[in-house]
Amino acid sequence: MTGPLRGLRVIELAGLGPGPFAGMMLADAGAEVVLIDRPGATERDRERRRHELMHRGKRSLVLDFKHPQGRALLLDMLAHVDALIEGFRPGVMERIGLGPDECMGRNERLVYGRMTGWGQEGPLARVAGHDINFIGLTGALHAIGERDAPPVPPLNLVGDFGGGGMLLAFGLICALLEADRSGRGQVVDAAMVDGASILTSFIHGLRHMGHWDDQRASNLVDGGAHFYGTYETADGKYIAVGAVEPRFYAELLDLIGIPPSELAPRMDRRVWPEARARLACAFRSKTRDEWCAIFEGTDACVSPVLSFEEAPHHRHNVWRSSFLESEGAWQPAPAPRFGRTPGAVDRPPPLIGEHADEVLKMFGIAAPTVSRLRDGGVIG
């Protein structure tokens, strides 16, 4: 293992979306992440596992931790780790005897990471939901989309991953640093509704200054401004324009061939629709790649809108090795980058239960105990 978190040991209870993403972030940075898979995996589950990229770099153990002996084994393991990641609804872990009190009673330095949509407490805490529901309560979903059309979900990036998994990973590292000073762990309550909210801090600042309108596509960075948005090109592809500052905007117009006086005043919102139509007409005159050649190396803040298939092969991404290929699949490389202790993907997503013997040996579980638990169906 490489990376700045080398030596850190984490147990992740298998879940969906943000919990695995947090575990991937830690594993990419060098942490030893043991994934506890549950019994009863279907053939489809097993076939999918190698493609579940958020489990890269982890080891898998199948363990029925709802069984008394499985719960006892998990508690024994937690006595020798730094952090736990769980993503069940509030109260589930407590009901099966694996709540913070029980786990931290075995390891007072344990950082207990909890990933939910609504948080551990509150009127909606026990209600089901998904990314779209969580970001709906924050204002973020309302702000994304066309002016006279319904809001558009930004994939599941804002709730699940930016506001969820990355928030949990940050919270875990903060708590682990504090535990080094105090000698005591704590619970990290990471909620997607909280994380998505904090991602909108910049927008709230604009609102306080009177620079943000709740009408979609009427603001500086929501596609309202003609100098910040996407435009279709002659070949049906798109380019992204982000010429916010005056000098960048001047360079944009110069390279397109439009006199600045024809689209003035730049910050007058009343002229934005007409200016957008003018730019749209201009951009449809050439293909995406032709425009990219024109803007190459300039400060006009223009870039191609690439598909997921195209992105790994763009020359800038290739130069930075922003994507890597493993097991025939392109995937984002670990980020951020560390100058002295670089992160890495040291193994593909594990098959379900692939590392049972290896993990149990790592935790010092005696062979007779392993045999007994396996015979009893506690270990898969």
Side-chain angles (χ1 to χ4, degrees):
M1 302 293 290
T2 62
L5 298 184
R6 182 178 181 181
L8 190 73
R9 185 176 286 179
V10 180
I11 285 181
E12 175 192 329
L13 303 186
L16 299 174
F21 183 74
M24 183 197 79
M25 294 286 291
L26 301 182
D28 283 355
E32 177 66 66
V33 180
V34 175
L35 178 65
I36 304 297
D37 279 307
R38 283 168 281 182
T42 65
E43 187 61 33
R44 182 170 179 268
D45 293 333
R46 288 190 284 270
E47 290 174 354
R48 290 178 52 185
R49 172 50 64 83
R50 281 294 197 215
H51 304 288
E52 294 176 341
L53 299 179
M54 290 188 297
H55 289 319
R56 68 191 189 188
K58 304 174 186 178
R59 289 182 170 87
S60 170
L61 166 68
V62 173
L63 174 64
D64 183 2
F65 52 80
K66 292 185 179 181
H67 188 286
Q69 293 180 356
R71 180 171 62 253
L73 176 59
L74 182 56
L75 286 170
D76 287 343
M77 294 169 68
L78 288 172
H80 303 287
V81 304
D82 300 288
L84 169 71
I85 295 174
E86 66 93 1
F88 296 100
R89 289 199 205 189
V92 170
M93 291 290 280
E94 285 82 355
R95 286 198 298 272
I96 61 177
L98 290 169
D101 290 343
E102 292 85 356
C103 295
M104 297 170 75
R106 297 294 297 275
N107 180 356
E108 66 176 355
R109 294 177 62 95
L110 180 70
V111 172
Y112 195 107
R114 317 197 79 168
M115 185 74 257
T116 60
W118 305 113
Q120 294 298 311
E121 300 173 337
L124 299 177
R126 298 177 186 272
V127 176
H130 282 291
D131 179 295
I132 193 170
N133 308 117
F134 309 136
I135 69 173
L137 253 65
T138 68
L141 180 58
H142 178 274
I144 301 171
E146 297 297 327
R147 174 185 288 268
D148 299 316
V152 176
L155 306 183
N156 60 336
L157 303 179
V158 175
D160 278 347
F161 302 121
M166 199 167 290
L167 182 78
L168 176 58
F170 172 72
L172 290 169
I173 295 303
C174 289
L176 287 164
L177 288 171
E178 196 279 336
D180 276 344
R181 295 193 296 270
S182 68
R184 299 176 61 193
Q186 59 185 301
V187 173
V188 177
D189 176 4
M192 286 175 257
V193 68
D194 298 340
S197 293
I198 203 168
L199 291 176
T200 66
S201 299
F202 170 69
I203 306 301
H204 280 279
L206 292 177
R207 290 188 74 251
H208 292 325
M209 293 185 286
H211 296 328
W212 189 268
D213 189 327
D214 276 345
Q215 173 65 57
R216 280 186 294 283
S218 60
N219 298 286
L220 188 66
V221 293
D222 65 355
H226 58 290
F227 47 80
Y228 198 94
T230 59
Y231 290 93
E232 187 176 8
T233 54
D235 52 352
K237 298 180 180 180
Y238 291 85
I239 60 166
V241 175
V244 177
E245 292 80 3
R247 69 185 185 90
F248 300 158
Y249 179 67
E251 191 162 356
L252 170 73
L253 296 185
D254 179 60
L255 291 168
I256 294 176
I258 298 178
S261 59
E262 295 184 12
L263 296 183
R266 181 180 67 93
M267 292 301 294
D268 187 343
R269 298 187 183 208
R270 293 171 298 180
V271 306
W272 283 0
E274 181 181 348
R276 174 171 284 278
R278 180 70 186 278
L279 288 181
C281 181
F283 281 120
R284 281 194 294 268
S285 67
K286 292 180 174 63
T287 67
R288 185 189 70 183
D289 292 346
E290 287 173 337
W291 280 117
C292 287
I294 291 172
F295 290 109
E296 180 76 18
T298 73
D299 282 341
C301 302
V302 175
S303 64
V305 176
L306 302 177
S307 68
F308 288 129
E309 183 177 355
E310 294 175 303
H313 309 292
H314 187 275
R315 67 186 188 89
H316 184 80
N317 294 335
V318 171
W319 192 92
R320 286 188 58 81
S321 299
S322 297
F323 293 83
L324 58 89
E325 188 176 14
S326 177
E327 302 282 316
W330 284 102
Q331 56 191 284
R337 302 179 183 210
F338 301 95
R340 186 170 51 81
T341 57
V345 178
D346 71 333
R347 63 176 67 88
L351 299 176
I352 295 175
E354 179 178 357
H355 304 99
D357 293 335
E358 185 179 338
V359 168
L360 294 169
K361 182 179 180 181
M362 179 170 59
F363 280 94
I365 309 301
T369 302
V370 173
S371 297
R372 185 177 71 252
L373 293 173
R374 183 168 278 131
D375 291 342
V378 178
I379 296 173

